[in-house]
Amino acid sequence: MGKIHPSHADHELELKSYEKPYTCDGCKEPGFGSRYRCELCNFDLHKDCMFASPNTHHDFFRNSTLKFLFQPPENCSCEEGRRYCDACGKPIKGFVYHDEKKGWDLHPCCRNLPSKLPVDDVKFDLCDKVLSKCLWCNKKKREGTVSGVRGWTYVSKCKKHHFHVNCATEMALEGWDKGTYNDDYSLALQNVELPIQRHNRNQRSGNKFIRMVKVFFKTIAAILLGDPTITLTCLLVELVAK
């Protein structure tokens, strides 16, 4: 049996799972794998957009209540008059969790990002300050972000490893864009090579580091793409284990 969602009240949405990317019609952000879908209207929602809570919290915003909205608030003093997600730094185009007092905004999937993330034997903390270059994009500030909304970064306890939150999604999107295998997502992802793999291609000492990065990216990408399933995890393992 399907379920009705207020944003698509004419037809029921059924839980589907395809090994294909899609754009969520709620938050307008990319997704992969499982989604709630109306085949008649080609309408898809992330699980987190389908079952959004009226009010929620995030550990990063202490003593703050985030209210779910179907559209971003109109009152905005940001550049270009647009609101940006404080987690990934990307524009808010649809469903959003918003703090009216502080002006904070989070995409529904971004709200699931943990404040602490142990990866292998390395512990990462979520940080709103960019302290060093990201190991994926090799930049401190992500392109497309605005001043004041740089997006979150995961920083290792040793301060040596820095990863932009949204670079995990960009890694997957690069695989889709370069894919020459029609709808075969796994084959498309195999075209992507991590920058650190290029530098450590002939160095055995880099294997442990590559493994750590592999686990990190597959975890964050699964959260942001709205499908933390074994299928997605396996595909990302294929990507970075090449």
Side-chain angles (χ1 to χ4, degrees):
M1 294 294 292
K3 298 179 182 294
I4 292 292
H5 191 272
S7 66
H8 192 74
D10 291 339
H11 304 110
E12 292 184 340
L13 303 179
E14 296 184 353
L15 179 61
K16 301 288 185 178
S17 183
Y18 305 114
E19 292 188 8
K20 297 180 182 179
Y22 68 95
T23 298
C24 175
D25 288 289
C27 65
K28 315 301 182 186
E29 289 300 305
F32 172 81
S34 62
R35 80 288 302 265
Y36 281 83
R37 176 172 175 79
C38 173
E39 296 286 359
L40 291 174
C41 302
N42 191 26
F43 184 92
D44 299 286
L45 289 180
H46 289 127
K47 179 181 178 181
D48 291 295
C49 290
M50 180 71 182
F51 299 107
S53 302
N55 297 284
T56 190
H57 301 81
H58 193 281
D59 292 341
F60 208 70
F61 298 140
R62 296 181 179 179
N63 303 318
S64 176
T65 299
L66 299 162
K67 181 180 180 181
F68 176 76
L69 302 175
F70 287 96
Q71 295 291 336
E74 295 182 358
N75 57 323
C76 179
S77 58
C78 301
E79 294 182 15
E80 303 177 356
R82 305 180 70 176
R83 305 200 69 89
Y84 290 78
C85 176
D86 286 280
C88 68
K90 295 173 63 178
I92 299 293
K93 302 176 182 178
F95 293 2
V96 61
Y97 284 110
H98 174 70
D99 183 308
E100 295 180 353
K101 295 181 179 180
K102 302 292 185 178
W104 289 323
D105 298 283
L106 290 179
H107 290 122
C109 289
C110 291
R111 188 201 67 84
N112 294 324
L113 291 166
S115 57
K116 297 182 181 297
L117 181 64
V119 178
D120 208 358
D121 58 350
V122 180
K123 295 182 179 180
F124 287 87
D125 291 323
L126 204 54
C127 181
D128 63 349
K129 296 180 180 179
V130 182
L131 304 177
S132 184
K133 292 181 179 180
C134 171
L135 287 175
W136 165 255
C137 68
N138 199 34
K139 298 177 181 178
K140 291 185 66 174
K141 182 180 178 181
R142 282 189 46 77
E143 295 182 2
T145 58
V146 296
S147 59
V149 187
R150 296 179 181 273
W152 293 345
T153 302
Y154 277 102
V155 181
S156 63
K157 286 288 187 181
C158 64
K159 309 299 182 183
K160 295 181 180 179
H161 312 308
H162 303 254
F163 301 97
H164 290 134
V165 161
N166 196 48
C167 278
T169 302
E170 293 301 318
M171 178 185 67
L173 289 174
E174 184 175 324
W176 302 342
D177 292 338
K178 290 185 177 180
T180 55
Y181 303 95
N182 298 320
D183 291 328
D184 194 325
Y185 180 71
S186 60
L187 288 176
L189 280 179
Q190 289 177 12
N191 288 331
V192 181
E193 184 179 39
L194 288 172
I196 55 172
Q197 284 181 277
R198 302 184 191 116
H199 298 308
N200 293 278
R201 193 173 289 164
N202 298 316
Q203 300 178 22
R204 291 187 177 182
S205 59
N207 290 341
K208 184 177 181 180
F209 180 56
I210 295 294
R211 184 172 64 251
M212 181 270 292
V213 176
K214 171 183 65 177
V215 175
F216 174 84
F217 273 112
K218 75 180 182 183
T219 302
I220 299 304
I223 292 173
L224 297 182
L225 294 173
D227 185 28
T229 62
I230 295 177
T231 300
L232 177 59
T233 299
C234 290
L235 292 176
L236 289 171
V237 168
E238 291 178 11
L239 164 65
V240 295
K242 182 178 177 182

